[in-house]
Amino acid sequence: MSLASLKALYSRDLNKLKLEIESYQNEHNLWLIEKNILNSAGNLCLHLAGNLNTFIGKELGHTGYVRDRDLEFSLKNVPRAELIRQIDQVTIIVDETLNQLREEDLQKPYPVLARPEQESVEYMLIHLAMHLSYHLGQINYHRRLLDV
């Protein structure tokens, strides 16, 4: 996959994430959980920001980001404006980091062993884009089911 394609996918889905969070009619509903829906949209948003800041920003962009993954799922009632700020910030980090890469960098080993086997930068960027898309779909369903 080319860097141009990866940039386009990340830009598209991070913009969709922002739109989903903005589309909640009631800000309180970002934090609802019900029955078997165990993660709120707010927590999924925090998780996506933490994930991308870590695996793209820290590891590829050398931002120095320090992740607290537990907080991504335990924080509650973070204001929507803060969620939007985090989406905007991680969008910039992802864009700047991908702009620093060259096509040949995609075939290099990813800097840390995130899985049992060593993966390439390209593989990890595709994996992370799919992870973003997966949780984006969950947020969309969460909004349509619980923001009533």
Side-chain angles (χ1 to χ4, degrees):
M1 180 173 281
S2 72
L3 274 171
S5 295
L6 287 164
K7 289 176 196 177
L9 290 170
Y10 279 103
S11 177
R12 179 198 71 188
D13 284 355
L14 285 166
N15 285 324
K16 283 184 181 180
L17 175 60
K18 184 175 178 178
L19 180 61
E20 283 294 335
I21 298 301
E22 291 172 337
S23 294
Y24 275 77
Q25 295 177 21
N26 182 337
E27 184 172 345
H28 169 77
N29 292 344
L30 283 161
W31 301 96
L32 290 179
I33 54 173
E34 187 175 294
K35 297 180 184 171
N36 289 331
I37 299 174
L38 302 177
N39 290 314
S40 70
N43 288 117
L44 289 171
C45 182
L46 292 171
H47 171 61
L48 287 169
N51 182 268
L52 294 173
N53 269 309
T54 299
F55 292 109
I56 294 180
K58 176 185 175 189
E59 299 302 339
L60 296 176
H62 311 289
T63 61
Y65 180 79
V66 177
R67 185 179 193 184
D68 189 339
R69 191 176 188 280
D70 289 340
L71 276 181
E72 296 167 15
F73 293 100
S74 64
L75 284 175
K76 303 295 178 213
N77 302 312
V78 174
R80 182 193 331 241
E82 173 59 18
L83 296 176
I84 298 299
R85 187 195 69 74
Q86 288 193 31
I87 295 167
D88 288 342
Q89 183 257 347
V90 79
T91 299
I92 291 167
I93 294 295
V94 168
D95 188 54
E96 288 177 352
T97 301
L98 294 180
N99 283 336
Q100 293 172 13
L101 295 177
R102 300 167 311 200
E103 289 293 333
E104 55 267 21
D105 293 331
L106 295 177
Q107 302 314 312
K108 292 180 179 176
Y110 184 74
V112 296
L113 193 61
R115 301 170 40 88
E117 309 88 35
Q118 180 68 53
E119 304 294 354
S120 68
V121 169
E122 178 183 43
Y123 178 93
M124 283 301 295
L125 289 172
I126 293 169
H127 170 79
L128 293 167
M130 293 175 72
H131 177 259
L132 169 59
S133 182
Y134 174 75
H135 287 313
L136 179 59
Q138 289 178 317
I139 291 169
N140 175 268
Y141 263 76
H142 181 276
R143 181 180 57 76
R144 292 187 288 140
L145 289 169
L146 300 180
D147 188 41
V148 291

